[in-house]
């Protein structure tokens, strides 16, 4: 078999497997509870879990799970809430992929925290909206700007009201970007105890991932064409075509698709890849993908660029989109930043830019954990993530 054939087969295999479980249509409440994440991933491990739904100001109905305590029961004293926010193309199952004694969500519950998981709009369990369905183009008319403005604040507010306590936060990848962006505007910090950022994404001008770079170029070359396909579904035909184009470029080794996307991951158990493929990847909006592509092109952190002065003026009252300024993150927020040396999406050169803008941060409030051999997926799936990331993270939360 030649390389192209093998590549082709690998992709078909990758996505055929990923899509073997059909996406439910926008499910009604009862159905989504019956086969929600609690039932599928948490209760089977004998952890308590409750399904919640949270409405955002822009009408999305977001699925949230609460794991109030661990298998060993309620610990005495207060149980501080922790909100976990996954990254791009993922959902809350991100935090439940590993066996129970190594999954961050369950470890936190076992360690006396009240755990709350979010699945961002457009993912399998969060397809409802007050007036739109995923078949409407308008349903997908958002980028991460709207997650900063509407979705994340709704999640913070909900958990804050339910528990009456300030939150700890854990973000992975895009989950770090939306929180950093909100903090940079001085938002959410009144409800925050501390935040852990795994694979921080802010600046992305140095991304080395061949798939991400080539994908971004293709998206930007034909923005208006791509926006006619408002849902970016990694299991869909159009995306497979994009991937095939990428893989025809011989600098990209699609035989190791995940490596090509995330960078070399040191410590994945091959059996976790199949767990991953049973649940992920998930849809996002094409507009969101274009927003990331613009950030990779420009090396800046700006709001979505309509690539048209008139359109930008209409939305922002100025010819180019406003920036998020990471230097404005309040310098007394306890921050735990963990990044890896082989990560091709949260690359060291970009993390350095973020750290440069945090140079006014109080030294006693900023912890940076670097692991040379970790890639983007290791932070949520590595067999040794507990020792190398989660134990230090939990110790950090207990201090604050
Ligand atoms: C890999 O995962 C399987 C199934 O969960 C488990 O039996 C095995 O011990 C794991 N291997 C390592 C090295 O953790
Ligand atoms: C960001 O804010 C800092 C301090 O608040 C300021 O010095 C800097 O010029 C700002 N950067 C941009 C690009 O606006």
């Amino acid at each position: 078999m030649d390389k192209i054939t093998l590549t082709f087969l690998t992709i078909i295999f990758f996505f055929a497997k990923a899509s073997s479980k059909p996406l439910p249509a926008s499910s009604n409440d009862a159905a989504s509870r019956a086969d929600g994440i609690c039932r599928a991933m948490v209760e089977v491990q004998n952890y308590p879990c409750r399904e919640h739904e949270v409405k955002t100001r822009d009408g999305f109905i977001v699925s949230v799970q609460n794991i109030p305590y661990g298998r060993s029961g309620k610990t005495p004293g207060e149980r501080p809430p922790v909100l976990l926010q996954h990254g791009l193309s993922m959902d809350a199952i991100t935090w439940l992929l590993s066996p129970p004694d190594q999954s961050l969500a369950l470890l936190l519950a076992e360690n006396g925290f009240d755990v709350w998981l979010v699945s961002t709009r457009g993912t399998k369990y969060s397809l409802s909206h007050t007036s739109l369905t995923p078949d409407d183009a308008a349903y997908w008319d958002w980028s991460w700007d709207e997650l900063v403005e509407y979705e994340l604040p709704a999640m913070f507010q909900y958990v804050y009201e339910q528990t009456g306590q300030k939150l700890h936060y854990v973000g992975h990848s895009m989950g770090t970007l939306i929180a950093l962006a909100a903090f940079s505007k001085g938002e959410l910090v009144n409800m925050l105890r501390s935040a852990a950022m795994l694979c921080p994404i802010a600046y992305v001008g140095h991304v080395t991932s061949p798939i991400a770079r080539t994908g971004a170029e293709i998206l930007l070359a034909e923005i208006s064409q791509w926006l006619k396909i408002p849902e970016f579904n990694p299991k869909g035909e159009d995306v497979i075509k994009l991937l095939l184009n990428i893989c025809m470029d011989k600098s990209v080794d699609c035989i190791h698709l995940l490596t090509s996307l995330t960078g070399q991951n040191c410590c994945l158990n091959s059996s976790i890849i199949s767990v991953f493929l049973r649940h992920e990847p998930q849809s996002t909006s094409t507009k969101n993908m274009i927003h990331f592509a613009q950030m990779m092109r420009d090396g800046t952190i700006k709001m979505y660029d309509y690539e048209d002065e008139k359109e930008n003026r209409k939305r922002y009252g100025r010819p180019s989109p406003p920036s998020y300024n990471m230097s404005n993150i309040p310098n007394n927020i306890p921050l735990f930043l963990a990044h890896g040396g082989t990560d091709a999406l949260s690359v060291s050169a970009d993390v350095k830019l973020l750290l440069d803008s945090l140079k006014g941060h109080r030294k006693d409030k900023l912890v940076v954990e670097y692991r040379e051999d970790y890639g983007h997926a290791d932070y949520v799936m590595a067999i040794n993530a507990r020792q190398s990331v989660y134990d230090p993270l939990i110790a950090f939360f207990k201090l604050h």
Side-chain angles (χ1 to χ4, degrees), residues 21-74:
K21 227 175 150 187
L23 279 177
S26 320
S27 43
N28 64 33
D29 282 2
S32 75
R33 264 168 235 281
D35 70 1
I37 290 178
C38 277
R39 183 85 171 265
M41 304 298 289
V42 184
E43 286 165 5
V44 289
Q45 307 289 359
N46 293 319
Y47 279 78
C49 187
R50 286 183 213 115
E51 296 283 346
H52 293 250
E53 281 181 340
V54 183
K55 202 184 298 174
T56 68
R57 273 203 295 129
D58 54 348
F60 288 84
I61 297 166
V62 173
S63 134
V64 170
Q65 289 75 38
N66 175 217
I67 309 168
Y69 47 87
R71 271 200 285 225
S72 44
K74 291 186 186 176

Side-chain angles (χ1 to χ4, degrees), residues 323 325 327-328:
S323 298
N325 187 339
S327 300
N328 293 339

Side-chain angles (χ1 to χ4, degrees), residues 352-391:
K352 184 175 179 305
L353 291 175
L354 173 62
L355 289 173
D356 285 348
S357 41
L358 295 177
K359 61 182 182 297
H361 212 82
R362 275 178 49 183
K363 296 285 167 280
D364 60 332
K365 302 283 184 186
L366 181 61
V367 171
V368 180
E369 292 266 348
Y370 173 70
R371 252 196 86 111
E372 201 172 4
D373 59 345
Y374 259 36
H376 207 68
D378 283 316
Y379 282 88
V380 286
M381 297 195 274
I383 49 172
N384 54 359
R386 177 178 184 169
Q387 300 88 302
S388 48
V389 186
Y390 305 156
D391 285 346

Side-chain angles (χ1 to χ4, degrees), residues 99 269 271 383:
N269 179 341
S271 72
I383 49 172

